[in-house]
């Protein structure tokens, strides 16, 4: 291949170029180099932020986005009526056992049965008195005979007193007649006392009610032979008054006093009966560590001595934190709740439960009411876990 001319660096004549061509090319190269360096610096900075400085922020952001949303309440404090629930046995407030007072005998009539009402002095059972009636008749005759002897002795004394003034009767005869009169009068008194005793014994043959009230038990039948050793034949509840012997712990007894109103519900019924405490046990059972509060009740057919009943005793009011049951958790260490602290971390808080009412569970210690308490799903949380609290203004019913 033939060339007319060979171009070389030496043959290039710079003088033939335009004045603006060489600086323009240099500027372009310079701009390209600067842009490439800037791009490399920017890429390096971004990579550094991502791999060196941006990891922790991304992790925190991811953790915050994955934190569970938890409903919390700030319970505060409210006035709580302190109530004590207890169970016990129904009994007669004043139980009167009735048995044979006299010498006894064969029962001829029984006039009352269990569940009947009686008045004081009312005859409940009658015992055969045919023999005793004859004894009374004999003693009445003895009284009449003694009275006749006394009257005769008195008449003899009166006649002798008239004759002694005339000298027909001596002073010694007067003394003898006076002694006879006095002896006859004494015999009359003895006969009268024996008659009164026999009549009193006969009156005791009848089994009568010492007080008015309700017949609880009858253990006597017609034809039965009874005696003072026969035991209790009737049991009465004086005026029909009943009581509930509620068993309470030492701490509950310490918070009660005589006169406190109560509400009693016999087992098997829904009837609520009003009563009040009339006696508190002065002793505590060493085995059960419990005492008895006796609750006075009026008569009601639902109250049966020997049966069970539950009582709700109102013992005053107090300020306490009240939580719904869903907020409470339990384990081997006791009762606790979860609260959310200022860093949105889950914190366990041990609590002591007091009274239970329709409003919820009273907390006697562990909370002051200003905490954010987890309302539900506490069983799915762990202490130290991050959570997103959502405040519920009012606790769930």
């Amino acid at each position: 291949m033939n060339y007319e001319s060979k171009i070389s660096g030496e043959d290039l004549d710079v003088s033939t170029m335009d004045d603006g061509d060489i600086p323009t090319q240099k500027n372009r190269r310079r701009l390209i180099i600067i842009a490439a360096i800037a791009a490399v610096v920017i890429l390096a900075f971004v990579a550094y932020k991502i791999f060196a400085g941006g990891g922790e922020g991304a992790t925190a952001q991811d953790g915050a986005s994955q934190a569970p949303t938890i409903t919390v309440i700030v319970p505060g404090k409210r006035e709580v009526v302190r109530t004590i629930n207890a169970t016990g046995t129904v009994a007669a407030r004043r139980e009167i056992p009735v048995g044979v007072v006299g010498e006894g005998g064969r029962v001829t009539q029984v006039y009352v049965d269990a569940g009947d009402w009686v008045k004081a002095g009312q005859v409940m059972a009658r015992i055969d008195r045919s023999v005793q009636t004859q004894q009374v008749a004999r003693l009445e005759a003895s009284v009449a005979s003694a009275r006749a002897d006394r009257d005769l002795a008195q008449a003899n004394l009166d006649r002798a007193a008239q004759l002694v003034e005339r000298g027909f009767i001596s002073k010694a005869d007067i003394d003898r007649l006076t002694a006879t009169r006095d002896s006859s009068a004494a015999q009359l008194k003895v006969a009268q006392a024996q008659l009164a005793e026999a009549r009193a014994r006969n009156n005791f043959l009848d089994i009568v009610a010492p007080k008015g009230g309700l017949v609880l038990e009858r253990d006597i039948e017609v034809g039965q032979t009874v005696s003072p050793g026969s035991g209790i034949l009737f049991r009465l509840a004086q005026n029909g008054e009943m009581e509930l012997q509620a068993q309470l712990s030492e701490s509950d007894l310490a918070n009660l006093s005589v006169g406190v109103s109560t509400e009693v519900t016999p087992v098997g019924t829904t009837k609520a009966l009003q009563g009040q405490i009339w006696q508190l046990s002065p002793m505590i059972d060493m085995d059960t560590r419990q005492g008895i509060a006796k609750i006075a009740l009026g008569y009601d057919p639902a109250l049966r001595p020997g049966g069970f009943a539950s009582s709700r005793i109102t013992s005053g009011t107090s300020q306490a934190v009240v939580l719904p049951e869903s907020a409470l958790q339990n384990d081997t260490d006791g009762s606790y709740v979860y609260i959310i602290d200022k860093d949105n971390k889950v914190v366990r808080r041990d609590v002591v439960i007091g009274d239970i009412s329709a409003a919820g569970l009273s907390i006697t210690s562990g909370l002051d009411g200003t905490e954010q308490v987890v309302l539900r799903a506490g069983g799915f949380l762990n202490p130290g876990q991050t959570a997103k609290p959502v405040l519920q203004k009012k606790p769930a019913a």
Side-chain angles (χ1 to χ4, degrees):
M1 183 177 207
N2 295 325
Y3 294 93
E4 292 181 357
S5 63
K6 185 178 179 180
I7 300 174
S8 64
E10 295 178 355
D11 297 334
L12 184 60
D13 188 0
V14 180
S15 61
T16 62
M17 297 181 181
D18 294 338
D19 294 339
D21 292 341
I22 295 174
T24 301
Q25 292 178 358
K26 290 181 178 180
N27 290 337
R28 287 177 180 176
R29 285 196 298 270
R30 187 180 297 113
L31 290 174
I32 292 172
I33 293 171
I34 292 173
I37 293 173
V40 171
V41 172
I42 292 173
L43 290 174
F45 178 78
V46 172
Y48 173 78
K49 285 294 184 179
I50 292 175
F51 295 103
E56 295 180 1
T59 303
Q61 185 175 2
D62 293 342
S65 63
Q66 295 176 0
T69 301
I70 300 299
T71 303
V72 298
I73 58 172
V74 179
K77 288 189 175 182
R78 68 174 71 179
E79 187 175 83
V80 177
V81 178
R82 177 177 173 80
T83 59
I84 300 173
N85 296 315
T87 58
T89 304
V90 178
R93 183 175 178 182
R94 297 294 185 203
E95 185 178 281
I96 304 174
V98 181
V100 176
V101 179
E103 59 189 25
R106 184 174 60 86
V107 178
T108 58
Q109 294 289 336
V110 179
Y111 300 106
V112 298
D113 207 340
D116 293 341
W117 289 86
V118 295
K119 298 179 180 180
Q122 179 178 337
V123 177
M124 295 188 291
R126 190 175 297 278
I127 296 176
D128 177 60
R129 59 181 66 201
S130 57
V131 175
Q132 289 81 357
T133 301
Q134 298 302 319
Q135 291 176 347
V136 169
R138 176 175 58 81
L139 291 174
E140 289 175 346
S142 297
V143 169
S145 175
R147 182 179 290 107
D149 292 341
R150 185 206 59 183
D151 294 342
L152 177 60
Q154 183 65 45
N156 291 334
L157 179 59
D158 292 341
R159 286 193 295 269
Q162 296 175 358
L163 296 175
V164 71
E165 296 177 357
R166 301 177 183 180
F168 296 108
I169 299 296
S170 65
K171 183 64 175 176
D173 293 333
I174 293 296
D175 294 338
R176 186 180 68 256
L177 293 173
T178 301
T180 302
R181 190 277 314 272
D182 294 341
S183 176
S184 299
Q187 290 296 327
L188 175 60
K189 292 182 178 179
V190 170
Q192 290 174 335
Q194 291 175 344
L195 176 60
E197 179 184 358
R199 287 174 174 171
R201 282 199 304 267
N202 289 350
N203 291 334
F204 287 147
L205 289 175
D206 294 334
I207 300 176
V208 300
K211 296 286 186 179
L214 177 66
V215 179
L216 300 177
E217 182 180 339
R218 163 185 161 172
D219 190 18
I220 185 173
E221 297 296 337
V222 175
Q224 178 180 346
T225 301
V226 296
S227 65
S230 298
I232 299 172
L233 304 179
F234 295 96
R235 290 185 186 273
L236 306 180
Q238 183 174 340
N239 299 325
E241 296 174 346
M242 301 292 173
E243 69 178 12
L244 176 64
Q245 299 175 354
Q247 296 184 352
L248 299 171
S249 64
E250 295 180 74
S251 58
D252 288 337
L253 281 176
N255 294 320
L256 296 178
S257 60
V258 174
V260 172
S261 61
T262 64
E263 188 177 90
V264 176
T265 303
V267 172
T269 68
T270 58
K271 183 182 294 186
L273 306 176
Q274 299 300 318
Q276 64 178 12
I277 296 176
W278 74 276
Q279 186 181 79
L280 294 173
S281 175
M283 297 182 61
I284 300 295
D285 188 278
M286 296 181 63
D287 296 328
T288 62
R289 309 308 305 173
Q290 291 183 326
I292 294 177
K294 294 185 177 182
I295 302 172
L297 299 165
Y299 170 75
D300 190 276
L303 294 173
R304 293 179 174 86
F308 285 95
S310 60
S311 63
R312 182 180 177 87
I313 306 172
T314 303
S315 61
T317 60
S318 61
Q319 295 289 326
V321 176
V322 179
L323 294 177
E325 187 177 356
S326 61
L328 270 295
Q329 305 291 325
N330 293 278
D331 59 13
T332 56
D333 295 330
S335 300
Y336 66 93
V337 298
Y338 281 131
I339 65 173
I340 307 299
D341 64 8
K342 61 182 181 180
D343 298 325
N344 290 342
K345 299 292 185 181
V346 177
V347 178
R348 172 182 171 133
R349 183 69 63 83
D350 293 332
V351 297
V352 177
I353 301 175
D355 297 328
I356 301 175
S357 63
L361 289 78
S362 300
I363 306 301
T364 58
S365 66
L367 298 174
D368 59 16
T370 61
E371 300 88 350
Q372 294 186 98
V373 181
V374 175
L375 181 60
R376 303 182 188 87
F380 299 98
L381 300 177
N382 295 308
Q385 181 179 352
T386 302
K388 293 180 180 179
V390 177
L391 182 62
Q392 178 173 299
K393 294 183 179 180
K394 295 183 179 180

